[in-house]
Amino acid sequence: MSDQAMQDDNEGATASPWAPANQRQRQREAKRQAVLSTAAQLFNEKGFQSTSLDDIAARLNVSKPTLYYYVKSKDQILIECVNSGLEMMVEGIEQTRLAGGQAIDQLLACMRIYTRIVTQDFGMCVIRISDAELPSEHRAELRRLKSGIDHAFRRLVSASIEEGSIIPCDPKLTAFMIAGALSWIGQWYQVQGELTPDKIADAYIDTFKHGFLQRNQRPS
Amino acid sequence: MSDQAMQDDNEGATASPWAPANQRQRQREAKRQAVLSTAAQLFNEKGFQSTSLDDIAARLNVSKPTLYYYVKSKDQILIECVNSGLEMMVEGIEQTRLAGGQAIDQLLACMRIYTRIVTQDFGMCVIRISDAELPSEHRAELRRLKSGIDHAFRRLVSASIEEGSIIPCDPKLTAFMIAGALSWIGQWYQVQGELTPDKIADAYIDTFKHGFLQRNQRPS
């Protein structure tokens, strides 16, 4: 709602200097998300251990006490960042499932979505923060989400073999190879670099589909 | 040297209860290596932050003061573990270079060696310990080694394209894809599991060479 609209609503009454409650709630949530995104960027740049709440506050131009209005602790921020990244992955996989089609098309779509997510703030946290750095009381839940993503890739590989799209192979190993190659993108990707996530996904998907050997080097 | 041989050497003199200096030096080095290997296993199992010198001493059945006879600190142990893993990789790549042959054969040989190393104690540390966890004064040197390994893969991909073994591609992206898929093995590999490093390397190399699509799904 614009300031003008607020004034119109309150015509005749003394205008309140506070925004309406629902607007304040939205502003608060936007600020909370800014805290989490900024924290994720710092974790990805210099590591979780080396990032302090002061660093996060400084980048947001606020004081540390202001941060505490939105988050409880650095550990809580970390959990929310990693959890957001994992939820994006789970939702992406679910969307490709709902879109239907051949298993191989779903698998390739998931690879593209996964590449996009590991090159974003929260997805990169999933890759760059080691399991050992996660607060122990949340480790099991986050591992459960990770394992669910692994199994989704494995099921898509299995279904792609069954429908005759993929050559017979160990679905677990192939799924690990896919998830590994894609996850590692989150380790080396630079947001300011020349490569877009979609260009990277194109190149990886092409190699996964056809291999890198010259055609004349292949067994017939 | 056996105890018997020592006694023979000292025949006529009063046998010393201490081993000769060169033997003591070898024993000391073997014990030092046991400290490093045990530490690497613990770092890989529960993370660097969560592993204490007490944990390492307990698994070796010695006291913490005994450890200090072989190593200065937990940080020093970490550096030596990661450095050993990286040196194994550098040496492995160098050996395939010296063996000569086509670039593609060298590349595939490097992939096999890299897989073997990331499934061993020190190599697994290279993968599981994040850059941010490394002591800052050694980070640049360890990054230099990692970057050298990345560039070796990139050069082999470039040379494989030039000799006509690999289809034209972005060597940097393809090298990242290879190193990523292989590095991730160090994240999920379980020493007690059914898969041997060579079986994993076979499967990965096959997919990299030929892709996973069924032949009848390929463009002619």
Side-chain angles (χ1 to χ4, degrees), chain A residues 150-167:
Chain A
D150 272 345
H151 279 83
F153 272 107
R154 212 176 292 180
R155 275 194 302 275
L156 285 172
V157 171
S158 291
S160 299
I161 298 170
E162 276 166 36
E163 76 186 13
S165 305
I166 282 187
I167 51 177

Side-chain angles (χ1 to χ4, degrees), chain B residues 109-143:
Chain B
C110 278
M111 289 169 69
R112 187 171 297 279
I113 287 169
Y114 195 89
T115 304
R116 285 184 195 145
I117 294 171
V118 296
T119 51
Q120 290 170 28
D121 297 335
F122 297 138
M124 204 177 272
C125 277
V126 173
I127 306 302
R128 295 198 179 187
I129 306 292
S130 69
D131 265 16
E133 289 178 283
L134 298 169
S136 54
E137 68 273 27
H138 293 271
R139 217 173 283 165
E141 166 63 9
L142 297 171
R143 274 195 189 155

Side-chain angles (χ1 to χ4, degrees), chain B residues 18 32 39 43 47 50 79 83 92 98 110-111 119 129 136 142 149 152-154:
Chain B
W18 282 276
R32 206 179 119 76
F43 296 160
S50 313
I79 296 155
N83 196 60
L98 291 173
C110 278
M111 289 169 69
T119 51
I129 306 292
S136 54
L142 297 171
I149 294 162
F153 272 108
R154 212 175 293 180

Side-chain angles (χ1 to χ4, degrees), chain B residues 58-169:
Chain B
R59 190 168 284 190
L60 287 161
N61 296 316
V62 298
S63 68
K64 193 154 85 173
T66 303
L67 282 191
Y68 284 119
Y69 182 62
Y70 301 98
V71 290
K72 271 190 300 197
S73 66
K74 206 176 83 160
D75 267 2
Q76 190 219 344
I77 297 178
L78 180 70
I79 296 155
E80 295 210 26
C81 290
V82 173
N83 196 60
S84 293
L86 288 168
E87 279 185 354
M88 288 168 77
M89 292 173 185
V90 170
E91 278 168 26
I93 292 169
E94 180 60 12
Q95 275 169 19
T96 61
R97 200 184 64 77
L98 291 173
Q102 279 208 297
I104 181 69
D105 295 324
Q106 289 184 38
L107 176 62
L108 300 179
C110 278
M111 289 169 69
R112 187 171 297 279
I113 287 169
Y114 195 89
T115 304
R116 285 184 195 145
I117 294 171
V118 296
T119 51
Q120 290 170 28
D121 297 335
F122 297 138
M124 204 177 272
C125 277
V126 173
I127 306 302
R128 295 198 179 187
I129 306 292
S130 69
D131 265 16
E133 289 178 283
L134 298 169
S136 54
E137 68 273 27
H138 293 271
R139 217 173 283 165
E141 166 63 9
L142 297 171
R143 274 195 189 155
R144 199 185 57 74
L145 284 173
K146 284 185 189 183
S147 169
I149 294 162
D150 272 345
H151 280 82
F153 272 108
R154 212 175 293 180
R155 274 195 304 274
L156 285 173
V157 171
S158 290
S160 299
I161 297 169
E162 277 166 36
E163 75 187 15
S165 306
I166 282 187
I167 52 177
C169 60

Side-chain angles (χ1 to χ4, degrees), chain B residues 178-193:
Chain B
I178 294 170
L182 300 182
S183 294
W184 206 253
I185 298 168
Q187 293 280 8
W188 58 262
Y189 183 75
Q190 290 180 315
V191 179
Q192 307 296 335

Side-chain angles (χ1 to χ4, degrees), chain A residues 164-167 208 210 212 214, chain B residues 164-167 208 210 212 214:
Chain A
S165 305
I166 282 187
I167 51 177
F208 269 114
H210 307 297
F212 60 33
Q214 273 287 13
Chain B
S165 306
I166 282 187
I167 52 177
F208 269 113
H210 308 296
F212 60 32
Q214 273 287 14

Side-chain angles (χ1 to χ4, degrees), chain A residues 45-50 102 104 107-108 111 114 127-128 130 132-133 139 143 163-168 170 172-174 176-181 183-184 187-188 195 199-200 203-204 206-219, chain B residues 45-50 102 104 107-108 111 114 127-128 130 132-133 139 143 163-168 170 172-174 176-181 183-184 187-188 195 199-200 203-204 206-219:
Chain A
E45 285 168 26
K46 45 194 262 179
F48 174 67
Q49 303 292 339
S50 312
Q102 279 209 296
I104 181 69
L107 176 62
L108 300 179
M111 289 169 69
Y114 194 90
I127 307 303
R128 294 197 182 188
S130 68
E133 289 178 284
R139 218 173 283 163
R143 273 194 189 155
E163 76 186 13
S165 305
I166 282 187
I167 51 177
D170 179 340
K172 186 175 147 189
L173 262 188
T174 303
F176 271 143
M177 184 177 167
I178 294 170
S183 295
W184 206 252
Q187 293 280 9
W188 58 261
L195 289 161
K199 270 192 192 169
I200 299 168
Y204 277 44
D206 205 57
T207 302
F208 269 114
K209 281 164 79 178
H210 307 297
F212 60 33
L213 277 199
Q214 273 287 13
R215 305 287 181 256
N216 61 15
Q217 308 265 328
R218 295 167 189 281
Chain B
E45 285 168 27
K46 45 195 261 178
F48 175 66
Q49 303 292 339
S50 313
Q102 279 208 297
I104 181 69
L107 176 62
L108 300 179
M111 289 169 69
Y114 195 89
I127 306 302
R128 295 198 179 187
S130 69
E133 289 178 283
R139 217 173 283 165
R143 274 195 189 155
E163 75 187 15
S165 306
I166 282 187
I167 52 177
D170 180 340
K172 187 175 145 188
L173 263 188
T174 302
F176 271 144
M177 184 177 167
I178 294 170
S183 294
W184 206 253
Q187 293 280 8
W188 58 262
L195 289 161
K199 270 192 193 170
I200 300 168
Y204 277 44
D206 206 55
T207 302
F208 269 113
K209 281 165 78 179
H210 308 296
F212 60 32
L213 277 199
Q214 273 287 14
R215 303 287 180 259
N216 61 14
Q217 308 266 327
R218 297 168 188 281

